[in-house]
């Protein structure tokens, strides 16, 4: 029997951690490219990208996104490039500006939710606009699910023709004030997704100390992908910081092996997520 591959997504930077939290966090474009190259070598086939200003604050600069994308495409042949359209620290009007550079994928949150210190606002008008831009540029969305209602919002996008019937969905668990990392909740979310969006592929992301635990739950349920990286978790355990994204990817690959599976090649990852080959 052929071993079923798993897409390993690495979220390299995010918008929250700083170098004071972990000096190995890649912030400048050259650092992000080098960190992605190491993660790719360790088994990652998809990279999720945020960019920062030089002072480490979140940026929506399309040219920074383009610079990182170009470097990754040269250094990591075939790797899936996914831009973030997330909103922490970014002007809503600027969140979709980078999409003109046509990454393979982009994140799309379909509703608002409480975060630790803010409300992560995703009004319907903004969600529809981002989905339309992705459709215009032939970018596959990764639907970010922070609440049960967000699944039904994604279904409405399908019904309105703004996204296709087989989106890639990510359940985000463990953000304080949002959806906790609870195995029962994952089962509820997965069952509801299969009921209303039966063609979806899926993954789940655990934040901080929940990263490996959520990954384990997802693999036990046959997830198409897993997610790791310094955006979500800067530590190996409470007493040691991660040396970089590659170390977190290596741990994910080890866990995948314990579930009798293996990391997908870039070509396999593209096939699994219904993306064009390169």
């Amino acid at each position: 029997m052929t071993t079923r591959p798993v897409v390993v997504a690495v979220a390299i930077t995010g918008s929250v951690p700083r170098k004071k939290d972990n000096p190995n966090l890649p912030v400048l474009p050259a650092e992000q490219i080098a960190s992605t190259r190491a993660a790719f070598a360790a088994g990652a086939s998809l990279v999720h990208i945020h960019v920062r200003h030089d002072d480490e604050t979140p940026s929506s600069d399309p040219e920074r996104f383009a610079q990182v994308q170009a470097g990754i495409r040269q250094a990591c042949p075939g790797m899936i490039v996914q831009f973030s359209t997330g909103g922490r620290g970014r002007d809503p009007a600027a969140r979709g500006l980078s999409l003109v550079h046509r990454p393979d994928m982009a994140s799309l949150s379909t509703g608002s939710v409480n975060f630790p210190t803010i409300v992560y606002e995703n009004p319907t008008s903004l969600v529809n606009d981002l989905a339309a831009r992705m459709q215009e540029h032939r970018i596959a969305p990764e639907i970010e699910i922070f609440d049960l209602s967000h699944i039904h919002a994604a279904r409405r996008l399908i019904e309105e023709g703004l996204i296709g019937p087989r989106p890639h969905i990510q359940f985000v668990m463990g953000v304080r004030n949002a959806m906790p990392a609870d195995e029962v909740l994952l089962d509820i979310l997965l069952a509801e997704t299969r009921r209303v969006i039966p063609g979806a592929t899926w993954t789940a992301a655990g934040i901080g100390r929940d990263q490996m635990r959520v990954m384990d739950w997802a693999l036990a349920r046959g997830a198409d992908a897993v997610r790791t990286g310094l955006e979500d978790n800067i530590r190996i355990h409470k007493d040691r910081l991660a040396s970089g994204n590659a170390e977190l990817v290596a741990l994910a690959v080890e866990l995948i092996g314990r579930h009798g599976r293996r990391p997908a090649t870039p070509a396999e990852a593209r096939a699994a997520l219904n993306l064009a080959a390169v």
Side-chain angles (χ1 to χ4, degrees):
M1 185 173 69
T2 304
T3 304
R4 184 176 164 221
V6 181
V7 179
V8 179
V10 59
I12 55 171
T13 303
S15 59
V16 175
R18 299 291 189 269
K19 284 186 178 290
K20 67 179 176 57
D21 304 311
N22 185 329
N24 302 307
L25 182 79
V27 171
L28 299 176
E31 294 173 338
Q32 292 183 299
I33 294 162
S35 186
T36 302
R37 184 190 301 115
F40 181 72
S45 49
L46 185 157
V47 58
H48 176 74
I49 299 168
H50 291 248
V51 296
R52 306 279 188 96
H53 298 293
D54 289 352
D55 66 0
E56 300 190 53
T57 56
S59 173
S60 295
D61 182 357
E63 295 316 307
R64 287 225 164 188
F65 277 100
Q67 183 180 350
V68 175
Q69 175 173 250
I72 289 170
R73 285 185 168 165
Q74 182 175 18
C76 309
M79 192 177 202
I80 297 166
V81 175
Q82 181 188 97
F83 286 177
S84 171
T85 66
R88 278 189 279 194
R90 300 171 68 186
D91 177 357
R95 284 166 53 182
L97 295 179
S98 66
L99 299 178
V100 296
H101 294 298
R102 299 178 183 267
D104 301 295
M105 300 183 75
S107 62
L108 179 64
S109 298
T110 54
S112 301
V113 66
N114 287 334
F115 271 6
T117 59
I118 64 166
V119 176
Y120 178 26
E121 295 186 66
N122 292 290
T124 300
S125 58
L126 175 61
V127 174
N128 289 352
D129 176 68
L130 290 171
R133 293 192 198 200
M134 291 179 199
Q135 187 176 64
E136 175 188 358
H137 296 299
R138 298 184 180 180
I139 299 164
E142 178 180 82
I143 306 299
E144 309 292 348
I145 302 296
F146 293 90
D147 182 82
L148 190 68
S149 65
H150 298 176
I151 297 169
H152 289 267
R155 176 65 194 177
R156 286 193 293 273
L157 292 175
I158 295 171
E159 291 170 347
E160 293 167 8
L162 287 169
I163 65 174
R166 301 177 63 193
H168 185 53
I169 285 179
Q170 177 168 262
F171 308 118
V172 185
M173 312 187 80
V175 175
R176 187 161 59 89
N177 299 331
M179 190 159 52
D182 185 315
E183 196 169 8
V184 172
L185 288 178
L186 180 57
D187 285 330
I188 292 169
L189 293 163
L190 185 55
E192 189 66 358
T193 297
R194 286 172 169 164
R195 186 178 76 87
V196 301
I197 314 177
T201 55
W202 71 279
T203 185
I207 306 304
R209 65 183 182 181
D210 295 313
Q211 186 171 79
M212 291 293 287
R213 182 166 57 151
V214 170
M215 201 182 308
D216 192 38
W217 297 342
L219 288 165
R221 288 158 176 78
D224 301 283
V226 295
R227 168 162 149 155
T228 189
L230 291 170
E231 171 174 350
D232 300 339
N233 172 36
I234 60 172
R235 297 183 176 276
I236 299 303
H237 51 71
K238 67 177 183 178
D239 298 319
R240 185 167 77 80
L241 296 171
S243 62
N245 283 296
E247 184 174 21
L248 293 172
V249 169
L251 289 175
V253 168
E254 181 182 330
L255 182 60
I256 287 167
R258 293 205 296 269
H259 281 269
R261 297 173 68 183
R262 61 177 175 79
T265 65
E268 289 170 334
R270 288 176 175 275
L273 301 185
N274 307 303
L275 300 176
V278 292

